[in-house]
Amino acid sequence: MAKYSININGQTHDVEAMEDMPLLWVLRDVVGLKGTKFGCGKALCGACTVHLNDNAVRSCSLPVSAVGEGRITTIEGLSKEGEHPIQQAWEKFVVPQCGYCQTGQIMNAAALIKRNPQPSEQEIEQSMQGNLCRCGTYNRIKAAIISVTSQPK
Ligand code: FES
Ligand code: FES
């Protein structure tokens, strides 16, 4: 076991964990933030997506020891009350079905518009294609992202 001080959603959390423990385990089981979901555990589905310094990463496959001084943002810290433009678009377009994959979808979409505020449709598809949704909400996801990125800035 080792001790880590991790910045999660703007707060420092001191945790004890094995160095190869995935960040997802730390978030859910040690810190108690359950909004980030476990899907495949093999970096294949995107359900566990969080931000590391504003970039989308798969927390099931990122060892806690690799976080270092990085800033982690989870769905709980994306906005105070769901006012992030992506969250609002998700609501407007009634994107979720069962909802299980949607944390990861939202976090990936939020990282996309942060690095590229006006992506093309192709760029949206490329960025989002690794986030799987068994309910098939892909068309609504795309429409919601376009509604945000096509707005005049
Ligand atoms: S649970 Fe991490 S990518 Fe599937
Ligand atoms: S909304 Fe059910 S898996 Fe995506």
Side-chain angles (χ1 to χ4, degrees):
M1 296 284 259
K3 293 186 178 180
Y4 300 95
S5 283
I6 311 179
N7 182 331
I8 304 168
N9 300 332
Q11 288 190 326
T12 301
H13 292 265
D14 295 318
V15 301
E16 261 190 81
M18 303 293 283
E19 64 182 32
D20 59 351
M21 180 184 274
L23 175 63
L24 178 60
W25 272 242
V26 173
L27 293 173
R28 289 182 56 87
D29 297 340
V30 181
V31 181
L33 294 169
K34 307 278 191 187
T36 307
K37 302 303 182 201
F38 172 78
C40 63
K42 294 177 189 287
L44 297 172
C45 74
C48 64
T49 303
V50 299
H51 295 175
L52 172 59
N53 298 329
D54 297 329
N55 297 307
V57 294
R58 299 197 161 179
S59 61
C60 70
S61 302
L62 182 72
V64 62
S65 54
V67 173
E69 307 271 300
R71 279 179 296 110
I72 298 295
T73 307
T74 70
I75 189 74
E76 291 89 347
L78 188 61
S79 67
K80 281 204 172 111
E81 307 207 11
E83 69 272 21
H84 188 285
I86 287 290
Q87 289 171 298
Q88 299 214 318
W90 248 240
E91 230 179 291
K92 184 171 165 201
F93 284 79
V94 196
V95 172
Q97 196 160 317
C98 81
Y100 198 83
C101 72
Q102 297 293 331
T103 293
Q105 307 281 5
I106 288 171
M107 295 308 283
N108 196 21
L112 165 64
I113 68 163
K114 179 96 181 178
R115 72 173 180 276
N116 181 2
Q118 293 191 304
S120 65
E121 280 195 44
Q122 198 187 13
E123 286 169 328
I124 292 172
E125 283 166 12
Q126 275 172 355
S127 287
M128 300 302 296
Q129 69 183 356
N131 278 68
L132 306 184
C133 174
R134 293 185 64 175
C135 301
T137 61
Y138 300 112
N139 289 344
R140 294 204 295 271
I141 287 171
K142 190 169 153 193
I145 296 173
I146 289 172
S147 79
V148 173
T149 58
S150 60
Q151 284 171 11
K153 297 283 181 290

